[in-house]
Amino acid sequence: MIVYFGGSAYEGVTGTDRQLADRLSAMVPVLYVDPPVSVTTPLLHPHLADSVRGAALRRRSPALWRLCPRVLPGAYRPGLHHTTNALVRRAARRAARRMAAELDERVSAVVVAAGADLLDAVPGARTLYYATDDLVAGAELLGLPPRRLAAARERMLARADEVAVVSPLLRELFRAHGRDPALVPNGCAPEAYAGIDTAPWPADVPRFDRPAAGFAGHINARIDLGLLEAVAAAGHPLVLVGPHDPGYQPARFRALTALPDVHWTGRKGFGEMPSYLSTIQVGLTPYRTDAFNRASFPIKTLDYLAAGRAVVSTDLPATEWLRGFSGGADLVRSEATVDGFVRAVEAELAVERTPKLTARRREFAARHDWGQRARALARLLDIDPVPARQEEPAS
């Protein structure tokens, strides 16, 4: 059995941790531990109310349980964070004992993909520190003290049995800290887009008289609004799918979404993505090229390809890593300037999306599916996964 400490809530955005936990649970039972919440969380963050309501421990599937630890208000304030971590460890240990007794299993591994050092939650288990972001570089965005995040990272790098990272830049960073981590990038779910060609057109997106570009994801400080504005200013329809952080340049975002050919849908579920991505010709990964983003691995890039769409991204190490695979260089466009980004979008909008080209994009994405990523983590944990061919980039 695996105890997996996620960096995001299981019921939240269907991101790295949930995708991996779901697939790991096809191999062994998994206890997924959410970031902790206090009784004030639903009041301060209404969009989280549904995900934290009800029992702290819930069974999500035959082999996957989700634990939402309850902690004191002000959980991450200086000093209180030690109490928070202790409460999370205790809650996870109790839930794991309950699961182990019910399943007649033992906890063989602990995965920490969060910023707190929780490796010792289950004594005697094999431990894996899985860094899915450079949290120290993103401390300001996260609203957490960088020194605390750096100290937790150093402790986990020193104590974890295995270390894995999501991006090439994080691998370089951790090598400089004395560990040689495994590279386990983000993946995609090609099966989710199998029916995209027959997906219904969403009611809240108009039909365009020319090909559209689009963005799917959280619109926050990671995103370069200037790139989206430039695409819209060039006269191309633009579809924005996902929530907007109200604190991120609200006036500028309102001006963008007020343009006649810009359509913002707000938050949508993962199951709705085929319909929304069917409305666009080109998917955009317009990340700012700061230290936080350069260490990231945007999931959306592979999702666009899995949906058979073209991709234009800012110049990120993860993008170059994908372009290093056979066939990747002409399927993933990478640009470092605003003008270059817009020109690349315009070039891809002019390309006819033939069945052959769509199949090439989907086949490339399928070589990077979440199943392969989960099997890579399983091998690090000495769990025997289903054998699968693991391809490496050409460069």
Side-chain angles (χ1 to χ4, degrees):
M1 188 170 75
I2 295 174
V3 177
Y4 191 114
F5 289 97
S8 58
Y10 182 84
E11 301 289 353
V13 176
T14 307
T16 306
D17 297 324
R18 177 169 177 169
Q19 294 281 11
L20 288 172
D22 284 347
R23 283 154 184 81
L24 286 168
S25 70
M27 307 174 201
V28 291
V30 174
L31 171 63
Y32 185 98
V33 184
D34 278 8
V37 299
S38 76
V39 292
T40 62
T41 296
L43 301 176
L44 298 175
H45 306 283
H47 67 284
L48 297 177
D50 290 340
S51 67
V52 302
R53 187 179 291 117
L57 181 63
R58 309 181 203 175
R59 194 168 190 170
R60 306 304 304 163
S61 69
L64 189 141
W65 281 254
R66 174 250 186 167
L67 173 67
C68 185
R70 310 295 203 253
V71 295
L72 301 173
Y76 296 109
R77 290 177 182 170
L80 269 179
H81 68 283
H82 294 300
T83 301
T84 297
N85 291 343
L87 290 172
V88 171
R89 289 188 194 95
R90 186 176 69 176
R93 197 173 295 131
R94 286 177 173 175
R97 281 201 299 264
R98 176 177 163 184
M99 283 180 59
E102 183 174 338
L103 298 172
D104 192 23
E105 295 268 1
R106 68 177 183 85
V107 178
S108 60
V110 170
V111 178
V112 177
D117 180 5
L118 300 165
L119 290 172
D120 59 353
V122 182
R126 186 170 180 79
T127 57
L128 169 65
Y129 170 36
Y130 182 35
T132 59
D133 269 307
D134 184 350
L135 298 182
V136 178
E140 182 178 355
L141 178 63
L142 299 171
L144 294 172
R147 286 187 179 180
R148 182 193 304 170
L149 293 170
R153 182 170 72 185
E154 290 301 317
R155 287 195 301 270
M156 288 193 282
L157 284 174
R159 298 196 301 117
D161 294 319
E162 297 288 345
V163 177
V165 294
V166 79
S167 71
L169 200 66
L170 275 174
R171 181 170 56 179
E172 294 175 13
L173 174 64
F174 283 16
R175 282 173 173 169
H177 285 256
R179 291 297 297 253
D180 189 13
L183 178 60
V184 183
N186 282 327
C188 63
E191 68 280 0
Y193 301 98
I196 189 172
D197 294 330
T198 57
W201 193 277
D204 53 350
V205 177
R207 292 186 179 271
F208 309 110
D209 60 359
R210 57 201 187 281
F215 168 86
H218 198 166
I219 304 166
N220 57 19
R222 303 190 80 158
I223 303 307
D224 187 341
L225 279 184
L227 294 174
L228 298 176
E229 291 166 339
V231 171
H236 306 294
L238 184 61
V239 179
L240 306 176
V241 184
H244 170 247
D245 180 349
Y248 178 52
Q249 303 190 24
R252 191 175 174 186
F253 184 70
R254 283 196 301 271
L256 173 64
T257 55
L259 296 173
D261 282 330
V262 177
H263 303 275
W264 176 46
T265 70
R267 185 186 299 270
K268 298 296 175 181
F270 182 69
E272 300 174 274
M273 284 299 104
S275 286
Y276 286 95
L277 292 189
S278 73
T279 69
I280 67 172
Q281 179 94 339
V282 181
L284 308 179
T285 305
Y287 274 36
R288 295 169 57 194
T289 52
D290 56 22
F292 187 37
N293 283 338
R294 283 181 57 78
S296 71
F297 196 108
I299 297 173
K300 58 184 58 61
T301 298
L302 284 169
D303 276 345
Y304 297 142
L305 292 171
R309 271 50 191 170
V311 179
V312 178
S313 171
T314 40
D315 186 20
L316 301 171
T319 304
E320 291 307 310
W321 185 83
L322 282 173
R323 286 169 53 83
F325 280 81
S326 174
D330 64 334
L331 293 180
V332 181
R333 299 286 294 266
S334 175
E335 297 294 336
T337 66
V338 174
D339 288 344
F341 192 90
V342 174
R343 285 196 300 270
V345 171
E346 291 178 333
E348 293 296 341
L349 287 171
V351 174
E352 180 185 0
R353 194 173 71 246
T354 63
K356 182 177 179 180
L357 178 56
T358 298
R360 279 191 60 221
R361 291 168 178 163
R362 290 175 173 168
E363 288 166 2
F364 183 87
R367 289 152 54 191
H368 302 275
D369 72 348
W370 286 115
Q372 292 196 42
R373 306 314 194 214
R375 288 190 288 270
L377 284 187
R379 283 189 285 270
L380 292 173
L381 297 171
D382 288 340
I383 296 168
D384 186 21
V386 177
R389 179 173 174 266
Q390 195 75 11
E391 185 182 357
E392 293 296 333
S395 59

